[in-house]
């Protein structure tokens, strides 16, 4: 799986292991098993993108910006 898709909870189709299924098309989401769809409907789900290698948040300002936004800290 491509890290970009797996970081946003995409998964492979059960019927076709080469087809990626976005979170919004998975039963976990559409049937709101754990409240993810409800959070999204309320605008409380945010998917951030950082350029560079998978999980390399130290490159550029993207990682620091996310930490300040979601955890807090100095601007």
């Amino acid at each position: 799986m491509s890290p970009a898709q797996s970081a946003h909870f995409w998964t492979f189709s059960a019927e076709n292991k080469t087809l990626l299924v976005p979170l919004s098309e998975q039963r976990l989401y559409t049937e709101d098993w754990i409240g993810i769809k409800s959070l999204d409907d309320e605008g409380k789900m945010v998917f951030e993108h950082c350029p560079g290698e998978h999980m390399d948040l130290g490159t550029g300002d993207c990682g620091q910006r996310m930490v300040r936004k979601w955890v807090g800290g100095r601007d």
Side-chain angles (χ1 to χ4, degrees):
M1 180 174 293
S2 172
Q5 284 92 357
S6 65
H8 288 187
F9 306 104
W10 286 36
T11 190
F12 286 111
S13 163
E15 296 80 28
N16 179 347
K17 298 298 181 192
T18 62
L19 178 65
L20 287 168
V21 181
L23 175 63
S24 62
E25 295 177 16
Q26 297 173 37
R27 287 181 59 208
L28 171 76
Y29 179 93
T30 60
E31 297 177 11
D32 208 18
W33 292 354
I34 59 174
I36 295 172
K37 185 177 184 311
S38 295
L39 286 172
D40 196 19
D41 290 345
E42 295 170 14
K44 296 179 180 177
M45 294 274 296
V46 177
F47 292 100
E48 298 279 352
H49 296 274
C50 288
E53 296 295 319
H54 183 61
M55 294 303 296
D56 182 12
L57 300 178
T59 303
D61 185 46
C62 189
Q64 290 299 318
R65 186 171 30 86
M66 282 196 296
V67 169
R68 285 192 305 269
K69 181 175 181 178
W70 300 109
V71 180
R74 291 181 265 183
D75 286 324

